[in-house]
Amino acid sequence: MKKLLLITLLCLLVQQTAFPQSFSTNNKKGWELCSERKSQMKLLPAKSANSPKHSFDVLNYSLSLDLMACYTSPYPTSFKATNVMRFRVDSALNQIQLNASGYSLQIDSVKLSGAKLTFSHQNDLLTITLDRTYDPQEEVEITIYYNRKNVRDDSFYVEQGWLYTDCEPEGARQWFPCWDKPSDKATADITAKVPKNVKLGATGHLQDSINDGTSITYKWVSRDPVATYLVVIASKANYNLDIVNWTNPRTQEVVPIRFYYNNGENISYPKSIIGDMTTFFSDYYGDHPFEKNGFATVGPSFTWGGMENQTLTTLCRNCWQESLIAHEYAHQWFGDMVTCATWADIWLNEGFATWSEAFWNGHRNGYSYYLNEIKQNASSYKYSNPGTPISNPAWAVNTPGPDVLFNTATTYNKSSCVVHQLRYVLGDSLFFKCLKAYATDTVNFKYKSATTEDFKNKFEEVSGQQLDWFFDSWIYQPNHPTYKNEYWMTDLGAGMWRFNFFAKQINNVFQPYWQMPLEVKISFADQSDTIVRFFNSVNSESFHFDFHKQPVSAVFDPNSGIVLRDGTTILSTNQSPVAFATGISSVSPNPFSESTTVTYTLSKKAHVKLSLYNLQGKLVQALVDADQQTGDHSVVISGQSLTAGVYFCRFSDGEASQTVKVVILK
C-alpha cells in the first residue's frame, strides 16, 4: 500500500478504459488497492539518509497519549503526549537528532533523569543536547514532552469518531518524535486514554485496559522490534470487534487475530480463511512472526486499499477482498518481520507481497491460477512501464517521489514477476529453501531489516549459486528483453537428427543483455516431446541437441518461466549445416564419465575461447583462450574432478558463439 502521484492515477484511468473488467471495483487485485491508497498522499520533503548522521540505535519508544477530545465534534487532531525513548550509543556523542515535524508537533521540554536538557526544533529536526558525552554501548533514556497540534496532515487522522495513523514512508514523525528511517527498528508501547465507548487497537499485544467509568486507558506493547512507519493506532467510537484464535500446529501457540470493523460490513469470509492463510504462509515463510495480528477498517480519508502496519493492518471501509487480505498479510513476513533497510529496497516488501497474492491464489485454486495472475502482472507492467529500474541505489540516500518509489508497474507488478523468475531460475525446491532460510535467519534478518544485497547474498549462500547476473539485469536495470529466436533441424543421417537453436535479443542499444536459463519444448515426429534447458549468457548464441528421432517443431519458454519478455521464436528458413562451419562440430563421447573430446572448426584465424560452465552458469574449466589458425581443432575435457550432472561447453571466436550441452555420468 504505497503512494502514487496524479500521473499514476491518470495511467490507471487509461488502463481502466482499456481493460474495464480487470479494473472494476469488485475485481481489483490486492496490489492495485494497496498502491491506490497513497495516490492522494503527499511525500514529506526528501532528506538524505545520512542527514542527520545516525550515531545511535533506538531500543524502545514508550508513548503516552491523551486522546480524550479527539472522538467528538469538532474532532481536533491535537493531544498532549510524552515519549520516553531509550537508545544505545553507537559512536561517542553528546547530542542526538530526531525527526519531528515542525508543522505537526510542538516540543515542550526534554528531560534526562528528571533534569531538563536543552534542545532546538527546526526544519523538522529535533536536536537534543545531552548532559555529557556518552561512549559507545552506553544506554540513555530521555523523556520528550510534546503536543500534537490541531493540524491536518497525511499521517495522523481524526474524523467522525475515527482516529488512526498511516505513516509510510516517513510520516511517524508527524505524531511522535523518532528516528524515522526503516533500518532502525525498536520495540514500542502505546498507552492511550480514550472515551469509554472507543475501541483502540495498536501495534503489539494488549497488556492492559483500565475503565474508570468515563474513559478507558489502553496499553499496547510490542514484543518485537518495529519500524517507525509501521507503528499504528486504529480506533473508533462504537467499533465492532471479532477475534479469531489461530493455533500454530507446530508450537501450539495461540495467536489472536483481531477484526475491527464498522457497522454494515460483512467480515465472515475473511474470518473463515484467515486461519488457512496463516498456516499456509507459515509453512513456506516460517512461523507466524508476531504475538497477535489483525485488520481494521478505518475512516473516509483512507479511500483505497490497505497498509501493512505491524500486527494490525488498516483497510479502507468495506475492503475485505481476499487478494487484498493476502497481499497485506504476506507483508507481516516481508515488510514487517523483515523490513526494507532503505527505500531503495522497497521491492523486497512489495514484490513479495504481490507475488504472495498469486501464490495464495494458486494454493486455493491450482497452479494455473497462480501462473495466470503472474502473467497478468507482467502484462500490467509492460502496459504502464515507466522505463525505470525496480531499485536505484540512490534512493537509499534521497527518498524519491511516490510516483517512482511506489510505481505500480515496477514496484508491484514487475517485482512480483522477478520473484517468479527467481523461482524459475532456482527451481521450486531450492527457491523455497532459500526463501525460508532468509525469513527465519534470526541472526541477520528476522525482526531486522535487509538490503537487496543482503537478500541476494543469503540466496547465494543457501543455493550455492552466484546470482549477480540475475540481480544486475532484473533489479538494477529498467525494461525487459525482446527475443528474436530461431530454430531449425538438421538430418545427420543414420537416424540421427540435430535440433539447432539460435538465441537472440533485439534490445535498445543502451540496454544490457538479460542472461537467463532458457527452456525449449521440442516436439518429435512420433508425437512425443521433451524440454531442454540451457543457460544463455551472451547475445546471438547458438545451441544444438542431437536426437535419435526427428524433431518437427519447438515452443520457447513453454512453462512461462520468463514472463518479463517480448519477441518471437520462429522456424528458420536457413536449414543449412553451413551455419555451423565455424564452431563445435562434435562432443564425443557424450554423455561421458572419465573424459570427452570437443572438436571444433575455424573458417578463419580467430581468438578462440572455449569454456565449461555448470547449469547455473558458473565457470568450471577454461579450456582454450588463444589465437588459433583456420582448420579443425580439438580439446579434451576431463571429468575426474567434476560431479555428475549437466554442463555446457561454450565456444566463441569473437564474432559468433555456440553452446553445447554435455552430460557427466558417474
Side-chain angles (χ1 to χ4, degrees):
M1 192 278 297
K2 308 297 174 255
K3 301 185 177 181
L4 307 175
L5 289 179
L6 179 60
I7 188 170
T8 308
L9 271 179
L10 293 174
C11 290
L12 287 173
L13 291 173
V14 171
Q15 286 180 312
Q16 192 168 7
T17 302
F19 307 106
Q21 184 175 1
S22 63
F23 283 84
S24 68
T25 302
N26 293 331
N27 293 329
K28 285 189 177 182
K29 299 297 184 183
W31 56 262
E32 294 176 76
L33 295 166
C34 183
S35 64
E36 284 178 352
R37 158 66 191 129
K38 295 281 183 161
S39 62
Q40 316 170 75
M41 310 289 282
K42 298 176 183 177
L43 188 66
L44 291 174
K47 294 182 175 66
S48 166
N50 297 312
S51 178
K53 184 179 180 181
H54 194 203
S55 53
F56 59 93
D57 177 19
V58 180
L59 303 176
N60 187 73
Y61 298 100
S62 184
L63 307 178
S64 187
L65 318 173
D66 185 350
L67 306 175
M68 285 291 290
C70 299
Y71 297 89
T72 54
S73 182
Y75 306 110
T77 65
S78 55
F79 60 81
K80 191 175 184 64
T82 61
N83 176 6
V84 181
M85 191 188 84
R86 181 165 50 90
F87 62 92
R88 182 175 54 238
V89 176
D90 286 342
S91 60
L93 54 79
N94 61 8
Q95 71 172 25
I96 64 169
Q97 289 184 314
L98 299 174
N99 302 115
S101 168
Y103 173 74
S104 303
L105 302 183
Q106 173 66 49
I107 309 300
D108 290 339
S109 63
V110 182
K111 293 183 179 181
L112 191 161
S113 299
K116 285 190 175 182
L117 301 176
T118 59
F119 68 90
S120 66
H121 187 199
Q122 296 179 336
N123 300 322
D124 292 337
L125 287 178
L126 174 60
T127 302
I128 301 168
T129 301
L130 302 175
D131 59 339
R132 64 176 175 86
T133 298
Y134 287 84
D135 295 322
Q137 300 307 308
E138 284 194 89
E139 292 188 11
V140 186
E141 185 172 275
I142 60 174
T143 302
I144 305 169
Y145 299 85
Y146 70 100
N147 287 283
R148 158 81 192 192
K149 301 175 185 179
N150 188 22
V151 295
R152 306 288 170 174
D153 54 38
D154 295 310
S155 298
F156 189 86
Y157 294 85
V158 177
E159 49 192 7
Q160 303 173 29
W162 282 277
L163 184 153
Y164 57 95
T165 61
D166 182 27
C167 299
E168 190 176 24
E170 296 172 355
R173 65 189 70 181
Q174 306 214 79
W175 63 284
F176 68 98
C178 57
W179 178 256
D180 203 10
K181 292 293 180 181
S183 59
D184 190 6
K185 302 173 76 169
T187 54
D189 58 83
I190 299 173
T191 301
K193 184 179 180 180
V194 299
K196 66 178 182 179
N197 65 335
V198 170
K199 290 186 178 68
L200 182 144
T203 305
H205 70 273
L206 182 59
Q207 184 181 84
D208 202 0
S209 60
I210 301 172
N211 189 333
D212 66 5
T214 59
S215 68
I216 299 177
T217 301
Y218 291 94
K219 184 168 186 179
W220 290 90
V221 179
S222 66
R223 177 193 68 186
D224 307 305
V226 55
T228 49
Y229 79 92
L230 296 169
V231 178
V232 66
I233 292 175
S235 61
K236 182 180 182 291
N238 304 312
Y239 239 164
N240 297 302
L241 172 62
D242 290 359
I243 300 175
V244 173
N245 288 315
W246 174 77
T247 300
N248 187 324
R250 286 170 287 278
T251 67
Q252 301 309 304
E253 176 191 12
V254 177
V255 178
I257 302 173
R258 303 168 73 94
F259 291 81
Y260 295 89
Y261 62 101
N262 304 301
N263 290 335
E265 294 181 344
N266 184 349
I267 64 167
S268 57
Y269 185 68
K271 285 170 58 180
S272 72
I273 64 172
I274 197 64
D276 184 24
M277 190 178 290
T278 307
T279 301
F280 177 69
F281 287 153
S282 295
D283 286 342
Y284 284 93
Y285 306 158
D287 284 342
H288 178 276
F290 303 118
E291 57 205 315
K292 153 265 196 175
N293 226 303
F295 301 86
T297 49
V298 292
S301 292
F302 201 99
T303 309
W304 291 304
M307 175 62 209
E308 66 276 9
N309 305 298
Q310 189 161 306
T311 75
L312 185 63
T313 292
T314 47
L315 303 172
C316 56
R317 289 178 295 174
N318 287 302
C319 295
W320 295 102
Q321 292 92 326
E322 183 173 358
S323 62
L324 178 60
I325 296 293
H327 179 104
E328 304 300 347
Y329 204 43
H331 269 310
Q332 298 299 311
W333 284 263
F334 302 113
D336 294 12
M337 182 188 74
V338 185
T339 305
C340 60
T342 76
W343 297 117
D345 311 299
I346 188 63
W347 80 274
L348 291 173
N349 292 18
E350 297 305 336
F352 272 97
T354 304
W355 176 82
S356 292
E357 287 182 60
F359 189 40
W360 167 254
N361 195 359
H363 166 70
R364 296 280 282 180
N365 301 300
Y367 183 83
S368 63
Y369 283 79
Y370 158 82
L371 188 57
N372 286 338
E373 192 162 327
I374 292 296
K375 289 179 177 179
Q376 289 171 13
N377 292 351
S379 296
S380 295
Y381 148 72
K382 287 189 281 187
Y383 184 82
S384 302
N385 176 20
T388 56
I390 287 174
S391 177
N392 184 335
W395 301 346
V397 178
N398 293 301
T399 307
D403 57 327
V404 174
L405 187 61
F406 301 124
N407 183 275
T408 304
T410 52
T411 303
Y412 292 80
N413 291 325
K414 186 179 183 182
S415 293
S416 70
C417 294
V418 168
V419 175
H420 168 76
Q421 293 186 172
L422 184 58
R423 179 183 181 181
Y424 159 75
V425 166
L426 296 175
D428 274 11
S429 178
L430 193 52
F431 171 79
F432 287 113
K433 180 182 179 182
C434 292
L435 186 59
K436 197 166 188 177
Y438 164 74
T440 59
D441 184 341
T442 57
V443 174
N444 299 300
F445 304 121
K446 190 173 184 180
Y447 306 122
K448 298 178 177 68
S449 57
T451 65
T452 300
E453 283 298 299
D454 291 332
F455 175 81
K456 176 185 73 69
N457 291 342
K458 186 64 177 181
F459 267 60
E460 288 184 335
E461 173 193 324
V462 177
S463 69
Q465 300 183 21
Q466 191 272 336
L467 295 171
D468 280 336
W469 61 269
F470 182 89
F471 284 80
D472 287 348
S473 294
W474 296 108
I475 300 298
Y476 298 117
Q477 295 291 339
N479 303 319
H480 56 278
T482 298
Y483 286 96
K484 190 176 181 181
N485 302 323
E486 297 182 55
Y487 70 91
W488 65 96
M489 285 70 75
T490 306
D491 185 351
L492 300 177
M496 289 291 296
W497 289 83
R498 173 166 291 172
F499 175 83
N500 308 288
F501 191 87
F502 185 68
K504 183 178 181 180
Q505 294 175 17
I506 50 171
N507 307 319
N508 183 294
V509 67
F510 299 107
Q511 288 295 141
Y513 188 79
W514 280 269
Q515 300 182 61
M516 281 294 277
L518 306 183
E519 289 186 348
V520 178
K521 181 180 178 181
I522 305 171
S523 296
F524 298 92
D526 64 0
Q527 299 186 341
S528 63
D529 56 60
T530 190
I531 293 177
V532 294
R533 182 177 173 116
F534 45 93
F535 196 87
N536 173 215
S537 62
V538 296
N539 208 355
S540 300
E541 190 170 14
S542 58
F543 305 84
H544 71 257
F545 305 89
D546 295 340
F547 300 98
H548 290 284
K549 51 187 175 181
Q550 182 181 358
V552 294
S553 63
V555 175
F556 176 64
D557 192 26
N559 296 317
S560 300
I562 311 172
V563 291
L564 297 172
R565 61 175 172 87
D566 289 316
T568 60
T569 298
I570 63 171
L571 177 63
S572 175
T573 57
N574 176 19
Q575 301 184 29
S576 169
V578 174
F580 287 103
T582 291
I584 298 173
S585 55
S586 68
V587 179
S588 182
N590 189 19
F592 70 96
S593 57
E594 297 298 324
S595 65
T596 189
T597 299
V598 180
T599 302
Y600 57 96
T601 301
L602 296 179
S603 59
K604 61 181 180 180
K605 181 180 178 181
H607 186 88
V608 173
K609 290 187 177 181
L610 190 69
S611 304
L612 189 68
Y613 294 82
N614 64 18
L615 194 59
Q616 290 74 44
K618 183 178 180 180
L619 177 66
V620 175
Q621 291 182 12
L623 303 169
V624 177
D625 186 358
D627 293 330
Q628 293 188 323
Q629 299 295 324
T630 303
D632 294 329
H633 303 267
S634 63
V635 64
V636 174
I637 299 175
S638 172
Q640 293 182 355
S641 62
L642 302 176
T643 59
V646 176
Y647 295 81
F648 293 97
C649 186
R650 185 168 300 145
F651 166 90
S652 172
D653 67 352
E655 294 182 358
S657 59
Q658 181 186 3
T659 300
V660 175
K661 181 174 74 173
V662 295
V663 179
I664 299 177
L665 302 177
K666 296 290 186 179

